[in-house]
Amino acid sequence: MFSSWLLRGVVMTAVHVVARVVLGLAIIHAPLHSTVWKTIAVAVVVLVSLLWGGIDGIADARANPDPDDYEDLTVRWLKAGVFAGVVAGLISWILGSFVFAGIGQASLWVELIAGGSFTALLIFVPAFVGAAVGRWLMRRDQRKNSHDDDWSVHPDAQPTEQIERV
């Protein structure tokens, strides 16, 4: 069974590699629009990471009502990002060297170090933001539905009966 970070890393590797191959093919067919294609490819990776991180944050806040009990999503997504960065860099270099000449790969070390670092941040930062927003949204909903803090319905907040004057 995959650990949670490895599953995320494998899926995000696939998302990054597919985005990069589609980007390469799009640039070959429409080279004058390369900036648009690059922006779309980066946006897809960021959006998938952001949404998945948000889903993780919501699920974690539902499972652990006390913020002190939250899981460590930061390390989970950092590991997933580093894994995806290195593996996607390796796969992209192999594809660029032997299969698709147009996907724009650099040397192996540049792909692994610089490309891997960029990909890791491209996955980690949006996932971290998504998890934080997901937890915040869940906590906000939990506070809205909680009547413990609402003094208008608390028995001690009801006006006491006036003492009869004799």
Side-chain angles (χ1 to χ4, degrees), residues 27-99:
I27 290 175
I28 289 172
H29 293 295
L32 296 177
H33 301 293
S34 65
T35 303
V36 173
W37 298 124
K38 290 176 185 177
T39 303
I40 291 171
V42 168
V44 166
V45 174
V46 167
L47 187 62
V48 170
S49 181
L50 181 72
L51 291 176
W52 200 348
I55 291 168
D56 275 354
I58 290 171
D60 188 35
R62 280 186 183 156
N64 302 305
D66 184 10
D68 291 335
D69 297 332
Y70 284 167
E71 290 184 42
D72 190 6
L73 298 179
T74 305
V75 172
R76 175 185 299 172
W77 277 102
L78 182 61
K79 287 179 181 179
V82 170
F83 176 85
V86 171
V87 175
L90 179 64
I91 292 172
S92 295
W93 180 81
I94 291 169
L95 288 175
S97 297
F98 303 111
V99 182

Side-chain angles (χ1 to χ4, degrees), residues 57-62 70 133-143:
I58 290 171
D60 188 35
R62 280 186 183 156
Y70 284 167
V133 170
R135 285 175 172 165
W136 178 77
L137 290 172
M138 205 59 223
R139 294 292 299 156
R140 187 182 69 168
D141 287 344
Q142 289 171 348
R143 282 191 300 270

